[in-house]
């Protein structure tokens, strides 16, 4: 069973939750600090905590309900105010400025992320002013041992409260929860900007999905051992590099980590050319 988690103070998370509750019959119950909604298909948990600060929430919730994966329904904030749907895994490379701990990573759920993205892709024409983009690994919670990822609406209160945007996300979440498709190629991504344009293209149009992704701005903190840890947590078989933003030193580190972890290194242009999704 999968568990959707939202925060009481998160307008986008609440909007998505309200739509999810309209899809089925849920039993509502109080469990310690949480409000739980139980159905035959999935569970919803509501917390007072900000999601980025919800370290160990999987262990806390496991006292009350049995689940194998978390989908964090959340808002996305940015100064540019762009209208976007985003998905990413949580964790921190260097400092922990927005929840979690430094050099700590949550365990990803790459297959559910992929199934969600494809479900979302089929619905994007309903909100043509929105775009989809992945984000790199950033912010807390980092202390999550169950597979998890963030599913977000951005980037201002107008979008967080948009009912149709929440319907698109909620429908895509349910489709991903129900999907049993898990034969995707899993990679860790290295390079690019915060919104990971190469990785976004790859998850939309190839047989690949991602666990953790590390932007160019993290390279000063990234090291071989940490990259190996990310590969293992992601249960990845590949490391994909954005060759336009990876210098020789980083390539050397990636190759060393790949050898230790026993995975293959691929350039993003090769992945886009040779691993296209069949129609």
């Amino acid at each position: 069973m999968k568990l959707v988690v939202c925060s009481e103070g998160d307008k986008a998370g609440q909007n998505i939750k309200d739509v999810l509750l309209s899809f089925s019959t849920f039993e509502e119950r109080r469990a310690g600090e949480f409000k739980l909604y139980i159905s035959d298909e999935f569970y919803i948990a509501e917390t007072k905590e900000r999601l980025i600060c919800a370290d160990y929430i999987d262990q806390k919730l496991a006292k009350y309900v049995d689940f194998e994966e978390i989908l964090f329904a959340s808002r996305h904030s940015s100064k540019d105010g762009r209208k976007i749907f985003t998905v990413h895994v949580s964790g921190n490379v260097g400092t922990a400025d927005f929840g979690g701990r430094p050099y700590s990573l949550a365990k990803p759920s790459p297959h559910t992320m992929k199934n969600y993205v494809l479900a979302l892709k089929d619905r994007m024409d309903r909100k043509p002013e929105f775009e989809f983009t992945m984000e790199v690994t950033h912010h807390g919670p980092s202390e999550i041992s169950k597979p998890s990822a963030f599913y977000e609406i951005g980037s201002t209160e107008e979008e967080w409260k948009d009912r149709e945007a929440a319907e698109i996300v909620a429908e895509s979440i349910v489709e991903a929860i129900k999907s049993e498709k898990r034969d995707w190629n899993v990679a860790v991504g290295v390079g690019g900007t915060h919104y990971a344009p190469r990785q976004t293209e790859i998850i939309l149009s190839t047989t690949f999905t991602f666990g953790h992704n590390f932007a160019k701005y993290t390279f000063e903190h990234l090291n071989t051992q940490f990259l190996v840890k990310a590969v293992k947590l992601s249960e990845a078989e590949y490391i994909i590099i954005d060759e336009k933003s990876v210098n020789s030193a980083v390539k050397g580190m990636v190759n060393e980590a790949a050898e230790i972890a026993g995975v293959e290194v691929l350039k993003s242009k090769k992945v886009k050319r040779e691993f296209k999704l069949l129609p």
Side-chain angles (χ1 to χ4, degrees), residues 12-24:
Q14 288 296 304
N15 197 6
I16 296 165
K17 179 204 74 175
D18 289 344
V19 176
L20 289 171
L21 290 175
S22 72
F23 290 163
S24 183

Side-chain angles (χ1 to χ4, degrees), residues 5 34 47 49 54-61 70 72 144:
V5 175
F34 304 104
T47 178
E49 277 188 296
D55 284 327
Y56 305 108
I57 194 170
D58 54 334
Q59 295 181 26
K60 296 175 183 176
L61 283 163
I70 290 178
F72 290 107
I144 304 290

Side-chain angles (χ1 to χ4, degrees), residues 64-228:
Y64 307 110
V65 65
D66 185 26
F67 62 96
E68 74 272 3
E69 186 177 312
I70 290 178
L71 296 87
F72 290 107
S74 174
R75 70 176 183 261
H76 167 78
S77 301
S78 69
K79 293 179 181 178
D80 60 14
R82 59 200 295 198
K83 298 177 186 294
I84 53 176
F85 300 112
T86 72
V87 63
H88 70 90
V89 185
S90 57
N92 298 304
V93 182
T95 60
D97 300 324
F98 301 98
R101 294 184 178 182
Y103 285 105
S104 183
L105 299 169
K107 183 172 178 58
S109 53
H111 297 288
T112 299
M113 287 170 61
K114 177 72 170 186
N115 295 329
Y116 170 83
V117 169
L118 294 182
L120 187 76
K121 181 181 177 182
D122 288 340
R123 294 167 170 81
M124 290 293 292
D125 60 348
R126 288 160 49 187
K127 295 292 285 184
E129 68 273 28
F130 276 67
E131 62 178 321
F132 166 75
T133 182
M134 291 197 73
E135 290 184 273
V136 294
T137 298
H138 70 294
H139 74 56
S142 62
E143 309 305 304
I144 304 290
S145 57
K146 295 273 191 183
S148 67
F150 273 71
Y151 303 83
E152 302 178 339
I153 299 173
S155 299
T156 71
E157 186 167 348
E158 179 184 352
E159 289 77 46
W160 303 339
K161 295 167 69 176
D162 188 309
R163 177 72 177 191
E164 189 168 17
E167 288 173 354
I168 290 170
V169 171
E171 289 169 15
S172 302
I173 282 175
V174 171
E175 186 168 326
I177 285 173
K178 291 180 178 180
S179 176
E180 296 180 0
K181 188 165 177 57
R182 297 183 60 84
D183 56 343
W184 305 114
N185 303 112
V186 180
V188 163
V190 177
T193 60
H194 183 84
Y195 290 106
R198 306 290 173 270
Q199 292 94 320
T200 299
E201 290 178 75
I202 286 168
I203 201 169
L204 284 168
S205 63
T206 78
T207 59
F208 271 83
T209 185
F210 289 93
H212 284 288
N213 275 295
F214 302 113
K216 185 177 180 180
Y217 65 73
T218 67
F219 286 175
E220 63 180 302
H221 301 292
L222 201 58
N223 59 57
T224 300
Q225 293 73 27
F226 191 74
L227 192 51
V228 170

